Amino acid sequence: MKFGEFEVQSISGGRFRLDGGAMFGVVPKTLWNRKSESDELNRVQLDTNCLLVRTPDAIVLCDTGFGSKLSEKQLSFIDAAPGNALISHLNSNNLDRGDVTHVIFSHLHFDHVGGATCLNSGGELEVTFPNAVHIFQEKEMADAIGMAAELEGNYYDAEIRFWSENAKCQPVSGDSEIINGIFVQPTGGHTAGHQLIEIKSGDQHGIFLGDICPTSAHLNVFWTMAYDAFQLDVRRKKAEILDAIANSEVTLFFDHDPNFQASTIFQKNKKTFEIKETFDLR
Ligand SMILES: [Zn+2]
């Protein structure tokens, strides 16, 4: 989709399933199940919608999906297919690993950073996008590398250590303009160092909210995930942003929605927002 001077596209890093209860936190199943159907294991369908932004002088990838390093057991747990979905989808869009200039991580959970590394023939981690700088909030790394017992399972140790030592990283602290028209802004909430990514070009304005609003079913301020480290912060941040962009032309990009990669929204009532117009970015 043309986006001012930019071109935006959603590249799937692979479809997967997670437990519906975990995806919708305190929301009763009778409610979330109407929006998101569950399978026999109570899992709901999700995608990893990595946002690709082509600017006149950069190719920026926002988040990278879960990648190609998961074991057979891990893949079956999340009902994902083996292989490297991200790379094959990039290739089918005439892009090569070497073309990506910037990778921006909303946060460092496995389903957002996994695609940015792969295993070489010696079984060691290597960067998937050798010419890209990799951007995340410093605070996110501080938490992830700390490997506090209460955060265990959220971050993959080997991946985090890899990025903490990698020269291709550019940690940022607070609001930052990454390149002309692409900004990051800390949100906290889902993780302490979570950030949103803002795209502005010409009269177009879009927000990649990461896991603050992972799917269109989460457009209700109270519908947060059990995975959110700071529930109340997610609700507050989500309310603030959705309030600001409802009934406008600002595009919201959903990182895990299995059907919609982007939409504008309208406000239905104080805490509920709904999709106005959707955009197919595949
Ligand atoms: Zn996450």
Side-chain angles (χ1 to χ4, degrees), residues 107 109 111-112 190 211:
H107 61 300
H109 282 168
D111 53 330
H112 297 261
H190 180 63
D211 275 355

Side-chain angles (χ1 to χ4, degrees), residues 131-146:
N131 300 322
V133 342
H134 297 72
I135 294 138
F136 48 81
Q137 287 288 325
E138 218 164 26
K139 193 180 175 69
E140 177 69 3
M141 178 56 80
D143 258 19
I145 196 76

